[in-house]
Every structure is written in structure tokens, then in C-alpha cells.
Amino acid sequence: MTTASAIVPTAKPRQSFAGLWNISFGFFGIQIAFGLQNANVSRIFQSLGSNVDDLAFLWIAGPVTGLLVQPLIGHFSDRTWGRFGRRRPYFMAGALLAGLALVGLPYAGALLLAAAFLWLLDASLNVSMEPFRAFVGDMTPPEQRAQGFAIQTCFIGAGAVIGSLAPALFTAMGIANTAPEGVIPPSVRASFLLGAASIVLAVAWTAFTTREYSPDQMAAFEGRAADADHAAEPLVYPARGALWALAGVALLALVIAAGLDKQLLVLGGGMVAFGLAQVISRVRRSTGAVAHIMSDLAQMPAQMKQLALAQFFTWTALFVLWIYTTPVVTQYVFHSTDTTSAAYNAGADWVGVMFAFYNGVAALAAFLLPVMARRIGNVKTHMVCLTAGAVAFALMLVIRDKTLLLVPMALVGLAWASILGMPYVILTSVLPPRKFGIYIGVFNFFIVLPQLLVATVMGEVIRSFFPTEPVWTMLVAALVMLAAALATLRIREAT
């Protein structure tokens, strides 16, 4: 057997602009769907009878699904090779299922059924999104990845603009924007049908125009033997599983004994499951997918660990934004909490405009960030952008004019552009290429865990401290985004 040390790495070819375009075009459709979800799901849930303080719990499908799906998809896509390639089968299957969910969600008619369709949508979007991140790393040489992720961020921003604006655009075309109680407005339904077609067609474009590198080629790029596969790698079994499980049991007992919000049971149960998975893998010396995921989690590169805390705070703030912007804007700027009123629905449409605006800014800022990074470095660029996001949330506490709300949205757009690209530029510079999928999936833990925390805790915070004043959620978002910016000071870039 040839040893990896005897093999000279082959340079990975640079991609043309058309190649970079094709690699990431599928994200355009994914983000149309994601933009529709972010701007309209709270509106749909409220229209079907949900209270504001219950919204976070109804959104919990996404974090739970992402926590389970993304590491598994990353693990298996790293090991997949067949007639249709390595990553492409996963993001094509996810696109088809997401299209089905987008058709069903606005026609659900009942809150429970809508929540089920949201779960399917989140699961499907996770199946599609995770391989796309690794796909850019697979297909580009290291010196071109900042540009590759910038183009992906541009497509993400452009897709989200369309997804966020779609209801307002259909309203402008004469499609009704209001509906009786318990019915989703026709403009929203038309938007979700557009999203279903967009995600399937855009992802199909990438799947059919991009040819992936074979396992032999990928091995040559890394300078290792083609037969030096994953199965030969030694596994590391984390030793703290019992502590995680005990902490989860303690939280469950506290919730039951103190009569705390039952939504916290989800967080406690997740901690128990995570701990038991580690304990079982360690005791049985398992070699399956879960054991590999736990092993890779234990062997994260130092930069990934340093970035994890910043990601945790960042996504806490973003989840607050996506859940509570609609009730904040409709109540404080459009002065309505009646979901059947014209004022409420005009406010909900304006949230779509706001989200479209920040995504449009992100699409443009994506090409500024590589320039900033060359001057001050990837980490400092990310810190500046996160600080801009913290200022944006603070401004939303005091602005009561709908047009002026676009100012903080511009700052959110700058932060969003960095969030979508810079962490992955930092990570792919230190990750082994044959493990891009699993490590980007594991990295999703630090996106999902804060979402779980918000979904299980924020409703109780609102009920306890400001039951009729959801605007204070923006103060929470401002503080945690500032914490994210400060946490980047710990990150050391690869040299």
C-alpha cells in the first residue's frame, strides 16, 4: 500500500466564474424557500391561532431537525460516491421534499398540520443546505474559497430578497393580502408555490451542470493514497457523556419540580440523548455513524472550538430576529395585533420588505468582505460585521418609522453577509478536505443549540418579564450579538 507521505499533492484546478456560478446557483432556490419561511411562518402560525409567546416553541422543528440531520448528512455525504456523485444526490432529494412542504404549508388549515409541514420543510432544507457548504470546499482550491463563498452568499441574499418580497409583490399584482380568520392570505399561498418551483429548478441546475471530483481525484488533491479511507481512522470516544446526561436529567427534574415552562423539557431531553449517545458509543466501542460523529466532535480543530462560542451567540440573536420581528413591527409601527386586519397584514408584508432589504445588502456586501479580509484578516472582518449587527438590534428598540427601520436592516445585512461566509472561510482553511461534510455538519451544533435555547426559553422570558411588550426581545438580541463580536477575539487564524 502506498503511504500518504510518499504522495505529492496535485493542485486543485481553479474554477472559472461560470463554474463558481453553477456550484452555488442551487442556493438561490434554497434561500427563496428559506426567505419565505423566515418572513412568513410566524404570520401563518398567528393566522392559525397561535399566541406570540408560543411562536418560539412552534419554530422548534428547525433546530431539532438540524441538530439530527446535518451531522448525519455530512457524515454520509463524505462517504458517498455513485453514479450521481457525492453531494448532489443529497441536495437534490432535499430540494424535492422541500418543494412538497412549501406547497402544503400555506394550505394546512390547522396549526398542528402547519407545524408538521414546517418540520418537513426544515428537515428538507437541512438535507439540501449542508452538502452545499461542503460542495464549495470540494470544488475550489484554498485560495479561491473566499470568492466561492462570496458568490454563494450573493445567491443566498438574492434568493432571500425574492422569498421575503414575494407576498408584497403578489399583493401589488392584485392578489388578495387578507383572508378570514384561520385562512392564509392568497398572496402568501402564491408565494409558497413560487418557492416550491424555485428550489427544485435551481438545485437541479447545480446538480446537472457541475461534475464532482472522483474519490481518486480528491485523494490526489490531499496528497494521500486513494485507499486511505475513513474506516481506517482511529476513533476517539468522548468521556463526558455521563455528565451531559446527568445535567439533562437535572434540568428535567427542575422543570417538573418547579413547574417551569414545559418547553424546557425539549432542551433537557436533548442533553440526555446527547450524553447517552456518547456513553453508548464509548461502552460498546461502536464504529457506526454516531460514533464517528462523536469522535470528530471530540477532535475538532482549535479554530473550530474558538469559533463555536461566537456562533452560539450569533445565532441566538438571529433566531430572535426571525421569530419576533413580525410581532414587533406589526404592534409598534403598524399598531395592530389583529391578524385579520389590513394594518397587521400590511405590517407583516413590510417585515418581508425589511428582510428582503437586509438580504439585498448582504448580496452586495459579500463582494466587499474578501477585500476587507485581505486588509485586516478574516476574523477581524467578522468581528466588525457582528458589531454592526448588535447596533442594528439596539436601533430596533427605538425606531417607530417603517422607512427608518431599513437603517438597522442595512447593518443586519452586513452582519448576515459575514455570518454566511467568513466562518466557513476560516474553517475550510484548517479542516481536512475529506471531512468537510462531517465537520460542517458538526459545526451546525453551534448554530442549532442557541436556536433550541431561544425556542425553549424565550416564550417564558416574554411571559415573565414583558408579556405585552415583545420589543424587548430586540435588547436581548443586541446584547448577545455584541457578545458574539467579543467572542471572536479568541479566534486564532491559521497561518
Side-chain angles (χ1 to χ4, degrees), residues 148-163:
F149 282 114
I151 289 177
Q152 188 175 91
T153 298
C154 184
F155 276 129
I156 291 171
V161 167
I162 294 175

Side-chain angles (χ1 to χ4, degrees), residues 54-104:
D54 291 328
L55 288 177
F57 186 63
L58 289 169
W59 274 76
I60 205 170
V64 172
T65 304
L67 193 63
L68 297 173
V69 170
Q70 288 218 22
L72 288 171
I73 294 298
H75 171 83
F76 287 114
S77 70
D78 280 343
R79 291 159 169 76
T80 293
W81 184 259
R83 179 181 177 186
F84 299 106
R86 186 186 192 192
R87 314 288 184 190
R88 290 178 295 171
Y90 292 95
F91 53 66
M92 196 68 236
L96 292 170
L97 291 172
L100 176 63
L102 286 164
V103 171

Side-chain angles (χ1 to χ4, degrees), residues 1 125 189 213 233 235 242 259 271 313 325 339 372 427 465:
M1 180 182 297
L125 289 176
R189 287 181 169 179
Y213 294 119
E233 297 174 357
L235 291 176
M271 294 169 65
F313 288 128
T325 299
T339 60
M372 289 178 61
L427 281 180
F465 296 101

Side-chain angles (χ1 to χ4, degrees), residues 158-241:
V161 167
I162 294 175
S164 300
L165 277 180
L169 293 175
F170 280 119
T171 300
M173 294 166 57
I175 298 177
N177 185 42
T178 59
E181 186 175 356
V183 178
I184 308 305
S187 61
V188 176
R189 287 181 169 179
S191 300
F192 274 68
L193 294 177
L194 171 67
S198 298
I199 188 172
V200 172
L201 293 175
V203 172
W205 178 279
T206 290
F208 289 105
T209 60
T210 306
R211 184 180 181 86
E212 295 183 69
Y213 294 119
S214 70
D216 288 345
Q217 289 173 307
M218 292 296 291
F221 295 147
E222 292 183 59
R224 61 180 173 85
D227 56 357
D229 59 17
H230 297 270
E233 297 174 357
L235 291 176
V236 173
Y237 297 95
R240 298 180 180 176

Side-chain angles (χ1 to χ4, degrees), residues 390-404:
V391 172
F393 291 123
L395 289 174
M396 289 181 69
L397 277 166
V398 296
I399 293 176
R400 296 294 180 266
D401 179 84
K402 74 172 189 177
T403 304
L404 286 179

